[in-house]
Coordinates of all heavy atoms in Angstrom, one line a residue:
M258 N 11.5 -3.6 -17.4 CA 10.3 -4.1 -16.8 C 9.6 -3.0 -16.0 O 10.2 -2.2 -15.3 CB 10.6 -5.3 -15.8 CG 9.4 -5.8 -15.1 SD 9.7 -7.1 -13.9 CE 10.6 -8.2 -14.8
K259 N 8.3 -2.9 -16.3 CA 7.5 -1.9 -15.6 C 7.4 -2.3 -14.1 O 7.4 -3.5 -13.8 CB 6.1 -1.8 -16.2 CG 5.2 -0.8 -15.5 CD 3.8 -0.8 -16.2 CE 2.8 -0.1 -15.5 NZ 2.8 1.3 -15.3
Q260 N 7.3 -1.3 -13.2 CA 7.2 -1.5 -11.8 C 6.0 -0.7 -11.3 O 5.9 0.5 -11.5 CB 8.4 -1.2 -11.0 CG 8.2 -1.4 -9.5 CD 9.5 -1.2 -8.7 OE1 10.4 -1.9 -8.9 NE2 9.5 -0.3 -7.8
L261 N 5.2 -1.4 -10.5 CA 4.1 -0.7 -9.8 C 4.5 -0.5 -8.3 O 4.9 -1.4 -7.7 CB 2.8 -1.6 -9.8 CG 2.1 -1.7 -11.1 CD1 0.9 -2.6 -10.9 CD2 1.6 -0.3 -11.5
N262 N 4.5 0.7 -7.9 CA 4.8 1.1 -6.5 C 3.5 1.1 -5.7 O 2.5 1.8 -6.1 CB 5.5 2.5 -6.5 CG 6.8 2.4 -7.1 OD1 7.5 1.4 -7.1 ND2 7.2 3.5 -7.7
V263 N 3.5 0.3 -4.7 CA 2.3 0.1 -3.8 C 2.5 0.8 -2.5 O 3.5 0.8 -1.9 CB 2.1 -1.4 -3.6 CG1 0.9 -1.7 -2.7 CG2 1.9 -2.2 -4.9
G264 N 1.4 1.5 -2.1 CA 1.3 2.1 -0.8 C 0.2 1.4 0.0 O -0.9 1.3 -0.5
I265 N 0.5 0.9 1.1 CA -0.5 0.2 2.0 C -0.8 1.1 3.1 O 0.0 1.6 3.8 CB 0.1 -1.2 2.5 CG1 0.5 -2.1 1.4 CG2 -0.9 -1.8 3.5 CD1 1.2 -3.4 1.9
V266 N -2.2 1.2 3.3 CA -2.7 2.0 4.4 C -3.1 1.0 5.5 O -4.1 0.3 5.3 CB -3.8 2.9 4.0 CG1 -4.4 3.7 5.2 CG2 -3.4 3.8 2.9
G267 N -2.4 1.0 6.6 CA -2.6 0.0 7.7 C -1.7 -1.2 7.6 O -1.8 -1.9 6.5
L268 N -0.9 -1.4 8.6 CA 0.0 -2.6 8.6 C -0.4 -3.5 9.8 O 0.5 -4.0 10.4 CB 1.4 -2.2 8.6 CG 2.0 -1.6 7.3 CD1 3.4 -1.2 7.4 CD2 1.8 -2.6 6.1
G269 N -1.7 -3.6 10.0 CA -2.1 -4.5 11.1 C -2.1 -6.0 10.6 O -1.2 -6.4 9.8
T270 N -3.1 -6.7 11.0 CA -3.1 -8.1 10.6 C -3.2 -8.3 9.1 O -2.4 -9.0 8.4 CB -4.3 -8.8 11.3 OG1 -4.2 -8.7 12.7 CG2 -4.4 -10.3 10.9
V271 N -4.2 -7.6 8.5 CA -4.4 -7.7 7.0 C -3.3 -7.0 6.2 O -2.7 -7.6 5.3 CB -5.8 -7.2 6.6 CG1 -6.0 -7.2 5.1 CG2 -6.9 -8.1 7.3
G272 N -3.1 -5.8 6.6 CA -2.0 -5.0 5.9 C -0.6 -5.6 6.0 O 0.1 -5.6 5.1
G273 N -0.3 -6.0 7.2 CA 1.0 -6.6 7.5 C 1.1 -7.9 6.7 O 2.2 -8.2 6.1
G274 N 0.1 -8.7 6.7 CA 0.1 -9.9 5.9 C 0.2 -9.6 4.4 O 1.0 -10.3 3.7
T275 N -0.4 -8.6 3.9 CA -0.3 -8.2 2.5 C 1.1 -7.8 2.2 O 1.7 -8.2 1.2 CB -1.3 -7.0 2.2 OG1 -2.6 -7.5 2.5 CG2 -1.2 -6.6 0.8
Y276 N 1.7 -7.0 3.1 CA 3.1 -6.6 2.9 C 4.0 -7.8 2.8 O 4.8 -7.9 1.9 CB 3.6 -5.6 4.0 CG 5.0 -5.4 4.0 CD1 5.6 -4.5 3.1 CD2 5.9 -6.1 4.8 CE1 6.9 -4.3 2.9 CE2 7.3 -5.9 4.6 CZ 7.8 -5.0 3.7 OH 9.1 -4.9 3.6
T277 N 3.9 -8.7 3.8 CA 4.7 -9.9 3.8 C 4.6 -10.7 2.6 O 5.6 -11.2 2.0 CB 4.4 -10.7 5.1 OG1 4.6 -9.9 6.2 CG2 5.2 -12.0 5.2
V278 N 3.4 -10.9 2.1 CA 3.2 -11.8 0.9 C 3.8 -11.1 -0.3 O 4.5 -11.7 -1.1 CB 1.7 -12.0 0.7 CG1 1.4 -12.6 -0.7 CG2 1.1 -13.0 1.7
L279 N 3.6 -9.8 -0.5 CA 4.1 -9.1 -1.6 C 5.7 -9.0 -1.6 O 6.3 -9.2 -2.6 CB 3.5 -7.7 -1.7 CG 2.1 -7.6 -2.1 CD1 1.6 -6.1 -2.1 CD2 1.8 -8.2 -3.5
A280 N 6.2 -8.8 -0.4 CA 7.7 -8.7 -0.3 C 8.3 -10.1 -0.5 O 9.3 -10.2 -1.2 CB 8.0 -8.3 1.1
R281 N 7.6 -11.2 0.0 CA 8.2 -12.5 -0.2 C 8.0 -13.0 -1.6 O 8.9 -13.7 -2.1 CB 7.4 -13.5 0.8 CG 8.0 -14.9 0.7 CD 7.3 -15.9 1.6 NE 6.6 -15.3 2.7 CZ 5.4 -15.6 3.2 NH1 4.7 -16.5 2.6 NH2 4.8 -15.0 4.2
N282 N 7.0 -12.6 -2.3 CA 6.7 -13.2 -3.6 C 6.9 -12.2 -4.8 O 6.5 -12.5 -5.9 CB 5.2 -13.7 -3.7 CG 5.0 -14.8 -2.7 OD1 5.8 -15.8 -2.6 ND2 4.0 -14.7 -1.9
G283 N 7.5 -11.1 -4.5 CA 7.7 -10.0 -5.5 C 8.4 -10.5 -6.8 O 8.0 -10.2 -7.9
E284 N 9.5 -11.3 -6.6 CA 10.2 -11.7 -7.8 C 9.4 -12.7 -8.6 O 9.4 -12.7 -9.8 CB 11.5 -12.4 -7.3 CG 12.5 -11.4 -6.8 CD 13.8 -12.1 -6.4 OE1 14.1 -13.2 -6.8 OE2 14.6 -11.5 -5.6
E285 N 8.7 -13.6 -7.9 CA 7.8 -14.6 -8.7 C 6.7 -13.9 -9.4 O 6.4 -14.2 -10.5 CB 7.3 -15.6 -7.7 CG 6.4 -16.7 -8.4 CD 7.2 -17.6 -9.4 OE1 8.5 -17.6 -9.4 OE2 6.6 -18.2 -10.2
I286 N 6.1 -12.9 -8.8 CA 5.0 -12.1 -9.4 C 5.6 -11.4 -10.7 O 4.9 -11.5 -11.7 CB 4.4 -11.1 -8.4 CG1 3.6 -11.8 -7.3 CG2 3.5 -10.1 -9.2 CD1 3.2 -10.9 -6.1
A287 N 6.7 -10.8 -10.5 CA 7.3 -10.1 -11.7 C 7.7 -11.1 -12.8 O 7.4 -10.8 -14.0 CB 8.6 -9.4 -11.2
R288 N 8.2 -12.3 -12.4 CA 8.5 -13.3 -13.4 C 7.3 -13.7 -14.2 O 7.3 -13.9 -15.4 CB 9.2 -14.5 -12.8 CG 9.7 -15.5 -13.8 CD 10.2 -16.8 -13.1 NE 9.2 -17.6 -12.5 CZ 8.3 -18.4 -13.1 NH1 8.3 -18.4 -14.4 NH2 7.4 -19.1 -12.5
R289 N 6.2 -13.9 -13.5 CA 4.9 -14.4 -14.1 C 4.2 -13.4 -14.9 O 3.5 -13.7 -15.9 CB 4.0 -15.0 -13.1 CG 4.5 -16.3 -12.5 CD 3.5 -16.9 -11.5 NE 4.0 -18.1 -10.9 CZ 3.2 -18.9 -10.2 NH1 1.9 -18.6 -10.0 NH2 3.7 -20.0 -9.7
T290 N 4.2 -12.1 -14.4 CA 3.4 -11.1 -15.0 C 4.2 -10.1 -15.9 O 3.6 -9.4 -16.7 CB 2.7 -10.3 -14.0 OG1 3.7 -9.5 -13.2 CG2 1.8 -11.1 -13.1
G291 N 5.5 -10.0 -15.7 CA 6.3 -9.0 -16.4 C 6.2 -7.7 -15.8 O 6.7 -6.7 -16.4
V292 N 5.6 -7.6 -14.6 CA 5.4 -6.3 -13.9 C 5.9 -6.5 -12.5 O 5.5 -7.4 -11.8 CB 3.9 -5.8 -13.9 CG1 3.8 -4.5 -13.1 CG2 3.4 -5.7 -15.3
G293 N 6.9 -5.6 -12.1 CA 7.4 -5.7 -10.7 C 6.4 -5.0 -9.8 O 5.8 -4.0 -10.2
I294 N 6.2 -5.6 -8.7 CA 5.3 -5.0 -7.6 C 6.2 -4.8 -6.4 O 6.7 -5.8 -5.9 CB 4.1 -5.9 -7.4 CG1 3.2 -6.0 -8.6 CG2 3.3 -5.3 -6.2 CD1 2.0 -6.9 -8.4
K295 N 6.3 -3.6 -5.9 CA 7.1 -3.3 -4.8 C 6.3 -2.4 -3.8 O 5.8 -1.3 -4.2 CB 8.4 -2.6 -5.2 CG 9.3 -2.4 -4.0 CD 10.6 -1.9 -4.4 CE 11.5 -1.7 -3.2 NZ 12.8 -1.1 -3.4
V296 N 6.2 -2.8 -2.6 CA 5.6 -1.9 -1.6 C 6.7 -0.9 -1.2 O 7.7 -1.2 -0.7 CB 5.2 -2.7 -0.3 CG1 4.6 -1.7 0.7 CG2 4.2 -3.8 -0.7
T297 N 6.4 0.4 -1.5 CA 7.3 1.5 -1.3 C 6.9 2.4 -0.2 O 7.7 3.2 0.3 CB 7.5 2.3 -2.6 OG1 6.2 2.8 -3.1 CG2 8.1 1.4 -3.7
H298 N 5.6 2.4 0.1 CA 5.1 3.4 1.1 C 4.0 2.7 2.0 O 3.4 1.8 1.6 CB 4.4 4.6 0.4 CG 5.4 5.4 -0.3 ND1 5.8 5.1 -1.6 CD2 6.0 6.6 0.0 CE1 6.7 6.0 -2.0 NE2 6.8 6.9 -1.1
A299 N 3.9 3.2 3.2 CA 2.9 2.7 4.1 C 2.4 3.9 5.0 O 3.2 4.8 5.3 CB 3.4 1.6 5.0
A300 N 1.1 3.9 5.3 CA 0.6 4.9 6.3 C 0.0 4.1 7.4 O -0.8 3.2 7.2 CB -0.5 5.7 5.6
V301 N 0.4 4.5 8.6 CA 0.0 3.8 9.8 C -0.2 4.7 11.0 O 0.2 5.9 10.9 CB 1.1 2.7 10.2 CG1 1.3 1.7 9.2 CG2 2.4 3.4 10.5
R302 N -0.9 4.2 12.0 CA -1.1 5.0 13.2 C 0.2 5.0 14.1 O 0.5 6.0 14.7 CB -2.2 4.5 14.1 CG -3.6 5.1 13.7 CD -4.6 4.7 14.8 NE -5.5 3.7 14.2 CZ -6.5 3.2 14.8 NH1 -6.7 3.4 16.0 NH2 -7.2 2.3 14.2
N303 N 0.8 3.8 14.2 CA 1.9 3.7 15.1 C 3.1 3.3 14.2 O 3.2 2.2 13.7 CB 1.6 2.6 16.1 CG 2.6 2.5 17.2 OD1 3.7 3.1 17.1 ND2 2.3 1.9 18.3
V304 N 4.1 4.1 14.2 CA 5.3 4.0 13.3 C 6.2 2.8 13.7 O 6.7 2.1 12.8 CB 6.0 5.3 13.1 CG1 7.3 5.1 12.3 CG2 5.1 6.3 12.5
A305 N 6.4 2.7 15.0 CA 7.5 1.7 15.5 C 7.2 0.3 15.0 O 8.1 -0.4 14.4 CB 7.6 1.8 17.0
P306 N 6.0 -0.3 15.1 CA 5.8 -1.6 14.7 C 5.9 -1.7 13.1 O 6.4 -2.8 12.6 CB 4.3 -2.0 15.1 CG 4.0 -1.0 16.2 CD 4.8 0.2 15.9
A307 N 5.5 -0.7 12.4 CA 5.6 -0.7 11.0 C 7.1 -0.7 10.5 O 7.4 -1.4 9.6 CB 4.9 0.5 10.4
E308 N 7.9 0.0 11.2 CA 9.3 0.1 10.9 C 9.9 -1.3 11.2 O 10.8 -1.8 10.4 CB 10.0 1.2 11.7 CG 9.7 2.5 11.1 CD 10.4 3.7 11.9 OE1 10.7 3.4 13.1 OE2 10.5 4.8 11.3
A309 N 9.5 -1.9 12.3 CA 10.0 -3.3 12.6 C 9.6 -4.3 11.5 O 10.5 -5.1 11.1 CB 9.5 -3.7 14.0
L310 N 8.4 -4.2 11.1 CA 7.9 -5.2 10.0 C 8.7 -4.9 8.7 O 9.1 -5.9 8.1 CB 6.4 -5.0 9.8 CG 5.8 -5.8 8.7 CD1 5.9 -7.3 9.0 CD2 4.4 -5.4 8.4
T311 N 8.8 -3.7 8.3 CA 9.3 -3.4 7.0 C 10.8 -3.3 7.0 O 11.5 -3.2 5.9 CB 8.7 -2.1 6.4 OG1 9.0 -1.0 7.2 CG2 7.2 -2.3 6.3
Q312 N 11.5 -3.2 8.1 CA 12.9 -3.2 8.3 C 13.6 -2.1 7.5 O 14.6 -2.2 6.9 CB 13.5 -4.5 7.9 CG 13.0 -5.6 8.8 CD 13.6 -7.0 8.4 OE1 14.1 -7.2 7.4 NE2 13.4 -7.9 9.3
G313 N 12.9 -0.9 7.4 CA 13.4 0.3 6.7 C 13.3 0.2 5.2 O 13.9 1.1 4.5
N314 N 12.6 -0.7 4.7 CA 12.5 -0.9 3.2 C 11.3 -0.1 2.6 O 11.1 -0.1 1.4 CB 12.3 -2.3 2.8 CG 13.6 -3.1 3.1 OD1 14.7 -2.6 2.9 ND2 13.4 -4.3 3.7
V315 N 10.5 0.6 3.5 CA 9.3 1.3 3.1 C 9.3 2.7 3.7 O 9.7 2.8 4.9 CB 8.1 0.5 3.5 CG1 6.8 1.2 3.3 CG2 8.1 -0.9 2.8
D316 N 8.9 3.7 2.9 CA 8.7 5.0 3.5 C 7.4 5.0 4.3 O 6.3 4.6 3.8 CB 8.6 6.1 2.4 CG 9.9 6.4 1.8 OD1 11.0 6.1 2.4 OD2 9.9 6.8 0.6
I317 N 7.4 5.4 5.6 CA 6.3 5.3 6.5 C 5.8 6.7 6.9 O 6.7 7.5 7.2 CB 6.6 4.4 7.7 CG1 6.9 3.0 7.2 CG2 5.4 4.4 8.7 CD1 7.4 2.1 8.3
T318 N 4.5 6.9 6.8 CA 3.9 8.1 7.3 C 2.7 7.8 8.2 O 2.2 6.7 8.2 CB 3.5 9.0 6.1 OG1 2.9 10.2 6.5 CG2 2.4 8.3 5.2
T319 N 2.3 8.8 8.9 CA 1.0 8.7 9.6 C -0.1 9.4 8.9 O -1.2 9.4 9.4 CB 1.2 9.3 11.1 OG1 1.6 10.6 11.0 CG2 2.2 8.5 11.8
D320 N 0.1 10.0 7.8 CA -0.9 10.8 7.0 C -1.4 9.9 5.9 O -0.7 9.9 4.8 CB -0.3 12.1 6.6 CG -1.3 13.0 5.9 OD1 -2.4 12.5 5.5 OD2 -1.0 14.2 5.7
I321 N -2.5 9.3 6.0 CA -3.1 8.4 5.0 C -3.4 9.2 3.7 O -3.3 8.7 2.6 CB -4.3 7.6 5.5 CG1 -5.5 8.5 5.8 CG2 -3.9 6.8 6.7 CD1 -6.7 7.8 6.1
F322 N -3.8 10.4 3.8 CA -4.2 11.2 2.7 C -3.0 11.7 1.9 O -3.0 11.8 0.7 CB -5.1 12.4 3.0 CG -6.4 11.9 3.6 CD1 -6.6 12.0 5.0 CD2 -7.4 11.3 2.9 CE1 -7.8 11.5 5.6 CE2 -8.5 10.8 3.4 CZ -8.7 10.9 4.8
A323 N -1.9 11.9 2.6 CA -0.6 12.2 1.9 C -0.2 11.0 1.0 O 0.3 11.2 -0.1 CB 0.5 12.6 2.9
L324 N -0.3 9.8 1.6 CA 0.0 8.6 0.8 C -0.9 8.5 -0.5 O -0.4 8.2 -1.5 CB -0.1 7.3 1.6 CG 0.3 6.0 1.0 CD1 1.0 5.1 1.9 CD2 -0.9 5.3 0.3
A325 N -2.2 8.8 -0.3 CA -3.1 8.7 -1.4 C -2.8 9.8 -2.5 O -3.1 9.6 -3.7 CB -4.5 8.9 -1.0
A326 N -2.1 10.8 -2.1 CA -1.8 11.9 -3.1 C -0.4 11.8 -3.6 O 0.0 12.6 -4.5 CB -2.0 13.3 -2.4
N327 N 0.4 10.9 -3.0 CA 1.9 10.8 -3.4 C 2.0 10.4 -4.8 O 1.6 9.3 -5.2 CB 2.5 9.9 -2.4 CG 4.0 9.8 -2.6 OD1 4.6 10.0 -3.7 ND2 4.7 9.6 -1.5
P328 N 2.7 11.2 -5.7 CA 2.9 10.8 -7.1 C 3.8 9.6 -7.3 O 3.8 9.0 -8.3 CB 3.5 12.0 -7.7 CG 4.1 12.9 -6.6 CD 3.3 12.5 -5.3
A329 N 4.5 9.2 -6.2 CA 5.4 8.0 -6.4 C 4.6 6.7 -6.1 O 5.2 5.6 -6.3 CB 6.5 8.1 -5.4
V330 N 3.4 6.8 -5.7 CA 2.5 5.6 -5.4 C 1.6 5.4 -6.6 O 0.8 6.3 -7.0 CB 1.8 5.8 -4.1 CG1 0.8 4.6 -3.9 CG2 2.7 5.9 -2.9
D331 N 1.6 4.2 -7.1 CA 0.7 3.8 -8.3 C -0.6 3.1 -7.8 O -1.6 3.3 -8.4 CB 1.4 2.9 -9.2 CG 2.7 3.4 -9.8 OD1 2.6 4.6 -10.3 OD2 3.7 2.7 -9.7
V332 N -0.5 2.3 -6.7 CA -1.6 1.5 -6.2 C -1.7 1.8 -4.7 O -0.7 1.7 -4.0 CB -1.4 0.0 -6.5 CG1 -2.5 -0.8 -5.9 CG2 -1.1 -0.2 -7.9
V333 N -2.9 2.1 -4.3 CA -3.2 2.3 -2.8 C -4.0 1.0 -2.4 O -5.0 0.7 -2.9 CB -4.0 3.5 -2.5 CG1 -4.4 3.6 -1.1 CG2 -3.2 4.8 -3.0
V334 N -3.4 0.4 -1.3 CA -4.1 -0.8 -0.7 C -4.6 -0.3 0.6 O -3.9 0.0 1.5 CB -3.2 -2.0 -0.6 CG1 -3.9 -3.1 0.1 CG2 -2.6 -2.4 -1.9
E335 N -6.0 -0.3 0.7 CA -6.6 0.1 2.0 C -7.0 -1.1 2.8 O -7.7 -1.9 2.4 CB -7.9 0.9 1.6 CG -8.7 1.4 2.8 CD -9.7 0.3 3.3 OE1 -10.4 -0.2 2.5 OE2 -9.7 0.1 4.5
T336 N -6.4 -1.1 4.0 CA -6.7 -2.3 4.9 C -7.1 -1.8 6.3 O -7.1 -2.6 7.3 CB -5.5 -3.2 5.1 OG1 -4.4 -2.5 5.7 CG2 -5.0 -3.7 3.7
I337 N -7.6 -0.5 6.4 CA -7.9 0.0 7.7 C -9.3 -0.3 8.2 O -9.7 -0.2 9.3 CB -7.7 1.5 7.8 CG1 -8.5 2.3 6.8 CG2 -6.2 1.8 7.7 CD1 -8.4 3.8 6.9
G338 N -10.2 -0.6 7.2 CA -11.6 -1.0 7.5 C -12.4 0.3 8.0 O -11.9 1.4 7.8
G339 N -13.5 0.0 8.4 CA -14.4 1.1 8.8 C -15.2 1.7 7.6 O -15.1 1.1 6.5
I340 N -15.9 2.8 7.8 CA -16.7 3.3 6.7 C -16.2 4.7 6.3 O -15.7 4.9 5.2 CB -18.2 3.4 7.1 CG1 -18.7 2.1 7.7 CG2 -19.0 3.8 5.9 CD1 -20.0 2.3 8.3
T341 N -16.2 5.6 7.2 CA -16.0 7.0 6.8 C -14.5 7.3 6.4 O -14.3 7.8 5.2 CB -16.3 7.9 8.1 OG1 -17.5 7.6 8.6 CG2 -16.2 9.4 7.7
V342 N -13.5 7.0 7.2 CA -12.2 7.4 6.8 C -11.7 6.5 5.6 O -11.1 7.0 4.7 CB -11.2 7.2 8.0 CG1 -9.8 7.4 7.6 CG2 -11.6 8.1 9.2
A343 N -12.0 5.2 5.6 CA -11.7 4.4 4.5 C -12.3 4.9 3.2 O -11.6 4.9 2.2 CB -12.1 2.9 4.8
K344 N -13.5 5.3 3.3 CA -14.2 5.8 2.1 C -13.5 7.0 1.6 O -13.3 7.2 0.4 CB -15.7 6.0 2.4 CG -16.4 6.7 1.2 CD -17.8 7.1 1.6 CE -18.5 7.9 0.5 NZ -19.7 8.5 0.9
D345 N -13.2 8.0 2.5 CA -12.6 9.2 2.2 C -11.2 8.9 1.5 O -10.8 9.6 0.6 CB -12.4 10.1 3.4 CG -13.8 10.6 3.9 OD1 -14.8 10.6 3.1 OD2 -13.8 11.1 5.0
L346 N -10.5 8.0 2.1 CA -9.2 7.6 1.6 C -9.3 7.1 0.1 O -8.6 7.5 -0.8 CB -8.5 6.5 2.4 CG -7.3 5.9 1.9 CD1 -6.1 6.9 1.8 CD2 -6.9 4.7 2.6
V347 N -10.2 6.2 -0.1 CA -10.4 5.6 -1.4 C -10.8 6.7 -2.4 O -10.2 6.7 -3.5 CB -11.5 4.4 -1.4 CG1 -11.9 4.0 -2.8 CG2 -10.9 3.2 -0.6
L348 N -11.7 7.6 -2.1 CA -12.1 8.6 -2.9 C -10.9 9.6 -3.3 O -10.7 10.0 -4.4 CB -13.3 9.4 -2.4 CG -14.6 8.7 -2.3 CD1 -15.6 9.5 -1.6 CD2 -15.0 8.2 -3.7
K349 N -10.1 9.9 -2.3 CA -8.9 10.7 -2.5 C -7.9 10.0 -3.4 O -7.3 10.6 -4.3 CB -8.2 11.0 -1.1 CG -7.0 11.9 -1.2 CD -7.4 13.3 -1.5 CE -6.2 14.2 -1.3 NZ -6.5 15.6 -1.7
A350 N -7.7 8.7 -3.2 CA -6.8 8.0 -4.1 C -7.3 8.0 -5.6 O -6.6 8.2 -6.5 CB -6.7 6.5 -3.6
I351 N -8.6 7.8 -5.7 CA -9.2 7.8 -7.1 C -9.1 9.2 -7.7 O -8.7 9.3 -8.9 CB -10.7 7.3 -7.0 CG1 -10.7 5.8 -6.7 CG2 -11.4 7.6 -8.4 CD1 -12.1 5.3 -6.4
E352 N -9.3 10.2 -6.9 CA -9.2 11.6 -7.3 C -7.8 11.8 -7.8 O -7.6 12.6 -8.8 CB -9.5 12.5 -6.2 CG -9.3 14.0 -6.4 CD -9.6 14.8 -5.2 OE1 -10.6 14.6 -4.5 OE2 -8.7 15.6 -4.8
N353 N -6.8 11.2 -7.2 CA -5.4 11.3 -7.6 C -4.9 10.3 -8.7 O -3.8 10.0 -8.8 CB -4.5 11.3 -6.4 CG -4.6 12.6 -5.6 OD1 -4.0 13.6 -6.0 ND2 -5.3 12.6 -4.5
K354 N -5.9 9.6 -9.3 CA -5.7 8.7 -10.4 C -4.9 7.5 -10.0 O -4.0 7.0 -10.7 CB -5.1 9.4 -11.6 CG -6.0 10.5 -12.1 CD -5.5 11.1 -13.4 CE -6.3 12.2 -13.9 NZ -7.6 12.6 -13.4
K355 N -5.1 7.0 -8.8 CA -4.5 5.8 -8.3 C -5.4 4.6 -8.5 O -6.6 4.7 -8.4 CB -4.2 5.9 -6.8 CG -3.5 7.1 -6.3 CD -2.1 7.2 -6.8 CE -1.4 8.4 -6.2 NZ -0.2 8.7 -7.0
H356 N -4.8 3.4 -8.7 CA -5.5 2.2 -8.6 C -5.7 1.9 -7.1 O -4.9 2.3 -6.3 CB -4.7 1.0 -9.2 CG -4.4 1.2 -10.7 ND1 -5.3 1.0 -11.7 CD2 -3.3 1.7 -11.3 CE1 -4.7 1.2 -12.8 NE2 -3.5 1.7 -12.6
V357 N -6.9 1.3 -6.8 CA -7.2 1.1 -5.4 C -7.6 -0.4 -5.2 O -8.3 -1.0 -6.0 CB -8.4 2.0 -5.0 CG1 -8.8 1.6 -3.5 CG2 -8.0 3.4 -5.1
V358 N -7.0 -1.0 -4.1 CA -7.4 -2.3 -3.7 C -7.9 -2.1 -2.2 O -7.2 -1.4 -1.4 CB -6.2 -3.3 -3.7 CG1 -6.6 -4.6 -3.1 CG2 -5.7 -3.4 -5.1
T359 N -9.0 -2.6 -1.9 CA -9.5 -2.5 -0.5 C -9.9 -3.8 0.1 O -10.4 -4.7 -0.6 CB -10.8 -1.5 -0.5 OG1 -11.2 -1.4 0.9 CG2 -11.9 -2.0 -1.4
A360 N -9.7 -3.9 1.4 CA -10.0 -5.1 2.1 C -11.5 -5.0 2.6 O -12.0 -6.0 3.2 CB -9.1 -5.4 3.3
N361 N -12.1 -3.9 2.4 CA -13.5 -3.7 2.9 C -14.4 -4.4 2.0 O -14.2 -4.6 0.8 CB -13.8 -2.2 2.8 CG -13.7 -1.5 4.2 OD1 -13.9 -2.1 5.2 ND2 -13.3 -0.2 4.1
K362 N -15.5 -4.8 2.6 CA -16.6 -5.5 1.9 C -17.5 -4.5 1.3 O -17.7 -3.5 1.8 CB -17.3 -6.5 2.8 CG -16.3 -7.6 3.3 CD -17.0 -8.5 4.2 CE -16.0 -9.5 4.7 NZ -15.9 -9.7 6.1

């Protein structure tokens, strides 16, 4: 079965909820789609709360652009909001041939 490795940028309310839903429903998503989805990386400002949420199951960094360039990440989920940094992140991810999901409007 193919697996998509997901990197989430921001594990606040939206990003943390996204992580929780994907972690809780990963097996069901794989069963229905034939594709495993696993959150493998996260980029955050404050590491301690992210480690508590992910319980050591995710590689955590404070460098959002390193996550966007990481060859082990297939999909970048941007949940930090804003305009400038979020835009730069999305463009960097696309430049590195990543699929991008954004919570921005």
Side-chain angles (χ1 to χ4, degrees):
M258 175 183 310
K259 179 176 167 69
Q260 176 171 302
L261 287 177
N262 293 326
V263 176
I265 300 178
V266 179
L268 286 178
T270 301
V271 174
T275 301
Y276 171 78
T277 301
V278 167
L279 290 175
R281 182 180 338 136
N282 298 312
E284 289 180 21
E285 181 64 16
I286 293 168
R288 186 186 69 74
R289 289 183 182 193
T290 66
V292 178
I294 296 178
K295 183 173 183 185
V296 178
T297 57
H298 295 78
V301 297
R302 269 193 253 181
N303 191 345
V304 173
E308 287 177 340
L310 174 67
T311 63
Q312 300 176 346
N314 295 319
V315 173
D316 289 335
I317 297 173
T318 182
T319 56
D320 186 345
I321 66 172
F322 298 105
L324 184 142
N327 188 326
V330 174
D331 302 309
V332 179
V333 174
V334 178
E335 176 276 311
T336 66
I337 59 175
I340 312 170
T341 310
V342 176
K344 176 187 170 193
D345 293 343
L346 169 70
V347 168
L348 292 174
K349 181 72 166 178
I351 292 170
E352 177 183 310
N353 284 286
K354 301 188 181 349
K355 309 290 183 199
H356 298 281
V357 176
V358 177
T359 180
N361 265 326
K362 296 178 182 127

